[in-house]
Amino acid sequence: MADSKSIAFFTHNFLEPTHHSISKVLRSLDGFGLHVFAKNSWIKYFDIPNIESRNFYTNGKLSSLYDSKFIHAIYDGKTAIRAGQIAKEFDFRFLLSFSWWV
């Protein structure tokens, strides 16, 4: 996926067994390589071929955002807030998604 655009994707848990819709969206982004930053990785539940890297992340500065210029975070507390701060610091585009149970 060397020609892909990169997205730094932040979430506390990636992905929980109930996150089927998020998995479908990420799989559909076949022109984008995902660099996942998460505290917990549950990836065994989903096959998402465009994940280029998995990075343990809880807080603070990052040694690498790869070649990302875009950050997407799923709002789940502090991880999403930190992702927004990183986006602001590096002047990256930032998308924050919300998910809820109805």
Side-chain angles (χ1 to χ4, degrees), residues 13-101:
N13 295 314
F14 186 81
L15 289 170
E16 294 184 41
T18 57
H19 290 173
H20 294 280
S21 60
I22 295 169
S23 169
K24 288 180 183 180
V25 169
L26 296 179
R27 277 196 309 265
S28 73
L29 298 173
D30 56 359
F32 294 86
L34 300 171
H35 298 284
V36 176
F37 295 86
K39 181 177 181 181
N40 300 310
S41 180
W42 299 41
I43 194 64
K44 63 185 175 186
Y45 293 102
F46 301 102
D47 177 28
I48 305 171
N50 50 332
I51 294 174
E52 294 184 357
S53 68
R54 295 182 192 103
N55 307 274
F56 177 79
Y57 178 74
T58 55
N59 61 23
K61 300 243 182 231
L62 293 168
S63 60
S64 174
L65 286 170
Y66 302 89
D67 57 351
S68 303
K69 297 290 182 210
F70 185 89
I71 293 178
H72 180 192
I74 296 174
Y75 186 79
D76 55 5
K78 292 180 182 178
T79 303
I81 292 168
R82 290 183 188 115
Q85 291 168 335
I86 291 167
K88 184 176 181 181
E89 178 182 345
F90 290 98
D91 196 28
F92 287 178
R93 293 183 204 143
F94 181 66
L95 173 67
L96 181 61
S97 296
F98 292 86
S99 147
W100 64 88
W101 291 94

